[in-house]
Amino acid sequence: SVSAESMAPSQDKDYVKVIIPKTQEQKERIETSIQNNFLFKNLDEEQYKDVIDAMVEKRVLNQEAIIKQGGIGDFFYVVETGTFDVYVSKNGVQEKVHNYGPGGSFGELALMYNAPRAATVIATSDSVLWALDRVTFRRILMENTSRKRKMYESFLEEVPILVSLEPYERHKIADALESAIYENGQLVIKQGDIGNNFFLIESGEARVTKIDEGGIEHELPGLKKGDYFGELALLNNKPRAVNITAKGRLKVATLGKKAFVRLLGPIVDILKRNSDNYETITRNVHQ
Ligand code: 1OR
């Protein structure tokens, strides 16, 4: 429309939509496969429909290589059923670096950066994939994805707990993060509540307090930019152990529980080890 064009004058309208005819049943299978995938969040109705229209069903056999490192990027893939292993070869040595199951997706890097495929992806069972062509991927999914990865990149690089991760692992975290603002005095976490989110402090500070059995609130060491909180309830499936309150204006980036488990798996041991320190701190509170 005219108004849309005037709002986005530089946008390239010179494309033909890819439409691969499919049954209602196929469309439903795609919707199920992408429903928990962060790359497909925040699409408007038309974009969502265009993505589903453009996807192609691809059945692969166990041990088939769907992507070869160094190859040209043609498609982005979403896993409907089955499992995949990812290998990166460096100096002639091939190393398994990752794996995917239903709902996972891969092959975005070569499309985003016009780069050769960064890894080899091999099916480890007979599987069903949905493939999205490069042009549709770039037109609809890329902007959001690269905006978020860029937005959180420098911040995540400076979060101490995440330094041991690969850059690509931080990218995946960026895909899943949502920012939220709390004003001075606002409660972010309430002691005793069920925990659903993990938090990183993007800017500002937070107060930490614990109410003892006698109902008295004790002040614990506070939190600042780059610190994290909210992991304990998620690690242990226990109620929130403390209150966290914004001290001034507080900006946090949050991960839901499922994303936390999936994306922070490699550092769970560090998180657990760090949480042993809390016991020393809280023990002092009860004395
Ligand atoms: P692609 O288009 O380059 C291969 O094709 C895909 O494998 C790639 O997009 C990613 O979607 C996916 N490094 C690079 N690519 C990876 C990695 C990875 N894991 C999955 N892919 N890792 C870093 C290894 C040094 C593994 C991080 C856990």
Side-chain angles (χ1 to χ4, degrees), residues 67 73 75 86 88 90 97-98 100 105-111 115-121 166 168-169 172:
I67 285 181
F75 287 95
V86 183
V88 170
K90 254 192 211 154
V97 292
H98 203 52
Y100 294 106
S105 61
F106 54 82
E108 80 288 6
L109 290 178
L111 308 187
R117 293 296 198 186
T120 294
V121 183
E166 294 282 350
Y168 185 70
E169 292 173 304
K172 302 296 283 182

Side-chain angles (χ1 to χ4, degrees), residues 141-247:
L141 294 187
M142 186 168 86
E143 202 178 331
N144 236 335
T145 306
S146 55
R147 184 185 53 81
K148 261 184 129 177
R149 288 186 182 185
K150 262 192 219 125
M151 181 169 81
Y152 288 118
E153 187 171 28
S154 53
F155 166 64
L156 292 179
E157 276 172 6
E158 283 166 18
V159 174
I161 189 78
L162 304 178
V163 291
S164 65
L165 296 178
E166 294 282 350
Y168 185 70
E169 292 173 304
R170 286 194 292 269
H171 284 159
K172 302 296 283 182
I173 292 173
D175 292 343
L177 285 175
E178 304 269 359
S179 289
I181 305 254
Y182 292 87
E183 299 300 340
N184 184 34
Q186 237 184 315
L187 205 55
V188 184
I189 279 185
K190 187 165 182 282
Q191 185 177 340
D193 275 1
I194 290 170
N196 295 313
N197 289 296
F198 170 75
F199 300 80
L200 293 164
I201 299 186
E202 284 186 70
S203 64
E205 289 176 43
R207 275 182 70 206
V208 183
T209 62
K210 189 170 180 75
I211 299 170
D212 68 18
E213 292 87 354
I216 297 165
E217 193 168 11
H218 299 266
E219 192 88 23
L220 298 172
L223 300 165
K224 57 177 193 319
K225 180 180 174 177
D227 288 343
Y228 63 88
F229 59 90
E231 82 294 2
L232 206 55
L234 304 186
L235 288 171
N236 304 333
N237 267 316
K238 282 201 181 139
R240 294 298 196 188
V242 296
N243 291 310
I244 310 265
T245 316
K247 187 174 166 188

Side-chain angles (χ1 to χ4, degrees), residues 23-277:
T23 64
Q24 187 55 31
E25 182 261 349
Q26 281 180 305
K27 287 184 188 173
E28 282 166 16
R29 285 196 278 122
I30 298 177
E31 291 192 26
T32 309
S33 308
I34 65 177
Q35 71 187 0
N36 291 319
N37 193 312
F38 298 103
L39 265 43
F40 295 86
K41 259 195 172 177
N42 309 317
L43 298 183
D44 65 33
E45 225 171 288
E46 186 185 355
Q47 292 172 321
Y48 189 78
K49 180 177 177 300
D50 288 356
V51 164
I52 291 180
D53 278 345
M55 284 184 140
V56 192
E57 181 165 357
K58 197 170 160 91
R59 292 181 178 258
V60 296
L61 297 174
N62 188 11
Q63 296 308 314
E64 197 174 325
I66 191 80
I67 285 181
K68 293 202 178 100
Q69 186 174 345
I72 291 170
D74 45 6
F75 287 95
F76 164 72
Y77 299 94
V78 177
V79 183
E80 181 188 330
T81 58
T83 47
F84 295 81
D85 279 349
V86 183
Y87 294 89
V88 170
S89 72
K90 254 192 211 154
N91 311 320
V93 185
Q94 209 173 49
E95 194 193 343
K96 185 181 154 185
V97 292
H98 203 52
N99 64 283
Y100 294 106
S105 61
F106 54 82
E108 80 288 6
L109 290 178
L111 308 187
M112 286 173 73
Y113 302 112
N114 287 316
R117 293 296 198 186
T120 294
V121 183
I122 297 177
T124 50
S125 63
D126 293 355
S127 306
V128 179
L129 291 171
W130 289 96
L132 186 68
D133 67 276
R134 169 193 178 86
V135 173
T136 309
F137 175 86
R138 288 184 64 95
R139 181 167 70 81
I140 299 174
L141 294 187
M142 186 168 86
E143 202 178 331
N144 236 335
T145 306
S146 55
R147 184 185 53 81
K148 261 184 129 177
R149 288 186 182 185
K150 262 192 219 125
M151 181 169 81
Y152 288 118
E153 187 171 28
S154 53
F155 166 64
L156 292 179
E157 276 172 6
E158 283 166 18
V159 174
I161 189 78
L162 304 178
V163 291
S164 65
L165 296 178
E166 294 282 350
Y168 185 70
E169 292 173 304
R170 286 194 292 269
H171 284 159
K172 302 296 283 182
I173 292 173
D175 292 343
L177 285 175
E178 304 269 359
S179 289
I181 305 254
Y182 292 87
E183 299 300 340
N184 184 34
Q186 237 184 315
L187 205 55
V188 184
I189 279 185
K190 187 165 182 282
Q191 185 177 340
D193 275 1
I194 290 170
N196 295 313
N197 289 296
F198 170 75
F199 300 80
L200 293 164
I201 299 186
E202 284 186 70
S203 64
E205 289 176 43
R207 275 182 70 206
V208 183
T209 62
K210 189 170 180 75
I211 299 170
D212 68 18
E213 292 87 354
I216 297 165
E217 193 168 11
H218 299 266
E219 192 88 23
L220 298 172
L223 300 165
K224 57 177 193 319
K225 180 180 174 177
D227 288 343
Y228 63 88
F229 59 90
E231 82 294 2
L232 206 55
L234 304 186
L235 288 171
N236 304 333
N237 267 316
K238 282 201 181 139
R240 294 298 196 188
V242 296
N243 291 310
I244 310 265
T245 316
K247 187 174 166 188
R249 193 180 160 85
L250 173 72
K251 189 173 184 202
V252 294
T254 71
L255 275 185
K257 184 170 182 167
K258 266 197 215 148
F260 170 80
V261 171
R262 188 161 46 83
L263 299 169
L264 299 188
I267 54 166
V268 155
D269 287 341
I270 306 176
L271 292 169
K272 283 195 173 144
R273 216 177 311 135
N274 287 353
S275 75
D276 292 343
N277 297 335

